[in-house]
Coordinates of all heavy atoms in Angstrom, one line a residue:
Chain B
P60 N 94.7 105.3 91.3 CA 94.2 105.3 90.0 C 93.0 104.4 89.8 O 92.9 103.3 90.5 CB 95.3 104.8 89.1 CG 96.5 104.9 89.9 CD 96.1 104.8 91.3
A61 N 92.0 104.8 89.1 CA 90.8 103.9 88.8 C 91.3 102.7 88.1 O 92.3 102.8 87.3 CB 89.7 104.6 88.0
P62 N 90.6 101.5 88.2 CA 91.1 100.3 87.6 C 91.2 100.5 86.1 O 92.0 99.9 85.4 CB 90.0 99.3 88.0 CG 89.3 99.9 89.2 CD 89.5 101.4 89.1
D63 N 90.3 101.2 85.5 CA 90.2 101.4 84.0 C 90.9 102.7 83.6 O 90.8 103.1 82.4 CB 88.8 101.4 83.5 CG 88.0 102.5 84.1 OD1 88.5 103.2 85.0 OD2 86.9 102.8 83.5
A64 N 91.8 103.3 84.5 CA 92.5 104.5 84.0 C 93.4 104.2 82.9 O 94.0 103.1 82.9 CB 93.2 105.1 85.2
P65 N 93.6 105.1 82.0 CA 94.5 104.9 80.9 C 96.0 105.0 81.4 O 96.2 105.6 82.4 CB 94.2 106.0 79.9 CG 93.7 107.1 80.8 CD 93.0 106.4 81.9
S66 N 96.9 104.5 80.7 CA 98.3 104.6 81.0 C 98.8 106.1 80.7 O 99.8 106.5 81.2 CB 99.1 103.6 80.3 OG 99.1 104.0 78.9
C67 N 98.1 106.8 79.9 CA 98.5 108.1 79.3 C 99.8 107.9 78.7 O 100.6 108.8 78.7 CB 98.5 109.1 80.4 SG 96.8 109.8 80.7
A68 N 100.1 106.8 78.1 CA 101.3 106.5 77.4 C 101.1 106.0 76.0 O 101.9 105.4 75.4 CB 102.2 105.5 78.1
G69 N 99.9 106.3 75.4 CA 99.6 106.0 74.1 C 98.8 104.7 73.9 O 99.1 103.7 74.7
V70 N 98.0 104.6 72.9 CA 97.3 103.4 72.7 C 97.2 103.2 71.1 O 97.3 104.2 70.4 CB 95.8 103.4 73.2 CG1 95.8 103.4 74.7 CG2 95.0 104.6 72.7
P71 N 97.1 102.0 70.6 CA 96.9 101.8 69.2 C 95.6 102.4 68.7 O 94.6 102.5 69.5 CB 97.0 100.3 69.0 CG 96.7 99.7 70.3 CD 97.1 100.7 71.4
L72 N 95.6 102.8 67.5 CA 94.4 103.4 66.9 C 93.4 102.3 66.5 O 93.8 101.3 66.0 CB 94.7 104.3 65.7 CG 95.5 105.5 66.0 CD1 95.9 106.3 64.8 CD2 94.8 106.4 67.1
A73 N 92.1 102.6 66.7 CA 91.1 101.6 66.4 C 90.6 101.8 65.0 O 90.7 102.9 64.4 CB 89.9 101.7 67.4
A74 N 90.0 100.8 64.4 CA 89.4 100.9 63.1 C 88.0 101.6 63.2 O 87.4 101.5 64.3 CB 89.3 99.6 62.4
S75 N 87.6 102.2 62.2 CA 86.2 102.8 62.2 C 85.2 101.7 62.3 O 85.3 100.6 61.6 CB 86.0 103.6 61.0 OG 84.6 103.9 60.9
P76 N 84.1 101.8 63.1 CA 83.1 100.8 63.1 C 82.2 100.9 61.9 O 81.4 100.0 61.7 CB 82.3 101.2 64.4 CG 82.5 102.6 64.5 CD 83.9 102.9 64.1
D77 N 82.4 101.9 61.0 CA 81.5 102.1 59.9 C 82.1 101.6 58.6 O 81.7 102.0 57.5 CB 81.1 103.6 59.7 CG 80.1 104.0 60.7 OD1 79.3 103.1 61.2 OD2 80.0 105.1 61.1
A78 N 83.1 100.8 58.7 CA 83.8 100.3 57.4 C 83.2 99.1 56.9 O 83.8 98.4 56.1 CB 85.3 100.2 57.7
E79 N 82.0 98.7 57.3 CA 81.4 97.5 56.9 C 80.8 97.6 55.5 O 80.8 98.7 54.9 CB 80.3 97.0 57.8 CG 79.0 97.9 57.8 CD 79.0 99.0 58.9 OE1 80.1 99.5 59.2 OE2 77.9 99.3 59.3
S80 N 80.4 96.5 54.9 CA 79.9 96.5 53.5 C 78.5 97.0 53.5 O 77.8 97.0 54.5 CB 80.0 95.1 53.0 OG 79.2 94.2 53.8
P81 N 78.1 97.5 52.3 CA 76.8 98.1 52.2 C 75.6 97.2 52.5 O 75.7 96.0 52.3 CB 76.7 98.6 50.8 CG 78.2 98.7 50.4 CD 78.9 97.7 51.1
L82 N 74.5 97.7 53.0 CA 73.3 96.9 53.3 C 72.2 97.3 52.4 O 71.4 96.4 52.1 CB 72.9 97.2 54.7 CG 74.0 96.8 55.8 CD1 73.5 97.3 57.2 CD2 74.2 95.3 55.9
V83 N 72.1 98.5 52.0 CA 70.8 98.9 51.3 C 71.2 99.6 50.0 O 72.3 100.2 49.8 CB 70.0 99.9 52.1 CG1 69.5 99.2 53.4 CG2 70.7 101.1 52.4
D84 N 70.3 99.6 49.1 CA 70.5 100.4 47.8 C 69.9 101.8 47.9 O 69.0 102.0 48.7 CB 69.7 99.6 46.7 CG 70.4 98.3 46.3 OD1 71.6 98.2 46.6 OD2 69.7 97.4 45.8
P85 N 70.5 102.7 47.2 CA 69.9 104.0 47.1 C 68.6 103.9 46.4 O 68.2 102.9 45.7 CB 70.9 104.8 46.3 CG 71.8 103.9 45.7 CD 71.8 102.6 46.5
A86 N 67.8 105.0 46.4 CA 66.5 105.0 45.7 C 66.7 104.8 44.2 O 67.7 105.1 43.7 CB 65.8 106.4 46.0
K87 N 65.6 104.3 43.6 CA 65.7 103.9 42.2 C 66.1 105.0 41.3 O 66.9 104.8 40.4 CB 64.3 103.3 41.8 CG 64.3 102.7 40.4 CD 63.0 102.1 40.1 CE 63.0 101.6 38.6 NZ 61.8 101.8 37.9
D88 N 65.5 106.2 41.5 CA 65.9 107.4 40.6 C 67.4 107.7 40.7 O 68.1 108.0 39.7 CB 65.1 108.6 41.0 CG 63.6 108.5 40.6 OD1 63.3 107.5 39.9 OD2 62.8 109.4 41.0
L89 N 67.9 107.6 42.0 CA 69.3 107.9 42.2 C 70.2 106.8 41.5 O 71.2 107.1 40.9 CB 69.6 108.0 43.7 CG 71.0 108.2 44.1 CD1 71.6 109.5 43.3 CD2 71.1 108.4 45.6
R90 N 69.7 105.6 41.7 CA 70.5 104.5 41.1 C 70.6 104.6 39.6 O 71.6 104.5 39.0 CB 69.8 103.1 41.4 CG 69.9 102.6 42.8 CD 69.9 101.1 42.9 NE 68.7 100.5 42.2 CZ 67.5 100.4 42.7 NH1 67.3 100.8 44.0 NH2 66.5 99.8 42.1
S91 N 69.5 105.0 39.0 CA 69.5 105.2 37.5 C 70.3 106.4 37.1 O 71.0 106.4 36.1 CB 68.1 105.2 36.9 OG 67.4 106.3 37.4
A92 N 70.3 107.5 37.9 CA 71.1 108.7 37.6 C 72.6 108.3 37.6 O 73.4 108.7 36.8 CB 70.8 109.8 38.6
I93 N 72.9 107.5 38.6 CA 74.3 107.1 38.7 C 74.7 106.1 37.6 O 75.7 106.3 37.0 CB 74.6 106.4 40.1 CG1 74.5 107.5 41.2 CG2 75.9 105.7 40.1 CD1 74.5 106.9 42.6
A94 N 73.8 105.1 37.4 CA 74.1 104.2 36.3 C 74.2 104.8 34.9 O 75.1 104.4 34.1 CB 73.0 103.1 36.3
D95 N 73.4 105.9 34.7 CA 73.4 106.5 33.4 C 74.5 107.7 33.4 O 74.6 108.3 32.3 CB 72.1 107.2 33.1 CG 71.0 106.1 33.1 OD1 71.3 104.9 33.0 OD2 69.8 106.5 33.1
G96 N 75.2 107.8 34.5 CA 76.3 108.9 34.5 C 75.7 110.3 34.4 O 76.3 111.2 33.8
R97 N 74.5 110.5 34.9 CA 73.9 111.8 34.8 C 74.3 112.8 35.9 O 73.9 113.9 36.0 CB 72.4 111.7 34.8 CG 71.8 111.3 33.4 CD 70.3 111.3 33.3 NE 69.7 110.0 33.8 CZ 68.9 110.0 34.9 NH1 68.7 111.0 35.6 NH2 68.4 108.8 35.3
G98 N 75.1 112.3 36.9 CA 75.6 113.2 37.9 C 76.4 114.4 37.4 O 77.1 114.2 36.4
D99 N 76.3 115.5 38.0 CA 77.0 116.7 37.6 C 78.3 116.7 38.3 O 78.5 117.1 39.4 CB 76.1 117.9 38.1 CG 76.7 119.3 37.7 OD1 77.9 119.3 37.4 OD2 76.0 120.2 37.7
R100 N 79.3 116.3 37.5 CA 80.7 116.1 38.1 C 81.3 117.4 38.7 O 81.9 117.3 39.8 CB 81.6 115.6 37.0 CG 83.0 115.2 37.6 CD 84.1 115.5 36.5 NE 85.4 115.4 37.1 CZ 86.0 116.5 37.7 NH1 85.4 117.6 37.8 NH2 87.2 116.3 38.3
D101 N 81.1 118.5 38.1 CA 81.7 119.7 38.6 C 81.0 120.2 39.9 O 81.7 120.7 40.8 CB 81.6 120.9 37.6 CG 82.5 120.6 36.4 OD1 83.3 119.7 36.4 OD2 82.4 121.3 35.3
W102 N 79.7 120.0 40.0 CA 79.0 120.3 41.2 C 79.5 119.3 42.3 O 79.8 119.7 43.4 CB 77.5 120.1 41.0 CG 76.6 120.6 42.2 CD1 77.0 121.4 43.2 CD2 75.3 120.3 42.3 NE1 76.0 121.6 44.1 CE2 74.9 120.9 43.6 CE3 74.3 119.5 41.7 CZ2 73.6 120.8 44.1 CZ3 73.0 119.4 42.1 CH2 72.7 120.1 43.4
G103 N 79.7 118.0 41.8 CA 80.2 117.0 42.8 C 81.6 117.4 43.3 O 81.9 117.2 44.5
E104 N 82.4 118.0 42.4 CA 83.8 118.4 42.9 C 83.7 119.5 44.0 O 84.4 119.4 45.0 CB 84.6 118.9 41.7 CG 86.0 119.3 42.1 CD 86.9 119.6 40.9 OE1 86.4 119.9 39.8 OE2 88.1 119.7 41.1
W105 N 82.7 120.4 43.8 CA 82.5 121.4 44.8 C 82.0 120.8 46.1 O 82.5 121.0 47.1 CB 81.6 122.5 44.3 CG 80.8 123.2 45.3 CD1 79.4 123.1 45.6 CD2 81.3 124.0 46.4 NE1 79.1 123.8 46.7 CE2 80.2 124.4 47.2 CE3 82.5 124.5 46.7 CZ2 80.3 125.3 48.3 CZ3 82.7 125.3 47.8 CH2 81.6 125.7 48.6
L106 N 81.0 120.0 46.0 CA 80.4 119.3 47.2 C 81.4 118.5 47.9 O 81.4 118.3 49.1 CB 79.2 118.5 46.8 CG 78.0 119.2 46.3 CD1 77.0 118.2 45.6 CD2 77.3 120.0 47.4

Side-chain angles (χ1 to χ4, degrees):
Chain B
D63 62 346
S66 68
C67 282
V70 293
L72 295 180
S75 165
D77 283 337
E79 70 264 34
S80 55
L82 300 171
V83 300
D84 289 334
K87 188 176 175 218
D88 288 353
L89 176 54
R90 285 207 310 275
S91 62
I93 291 171
D95 299 345
R97 282 187 273 116
D99 181 339
R100 185 210 167 275
D101 291 349
W102 189 15
E104 183 173 15
W105 152 248
L106 293 167

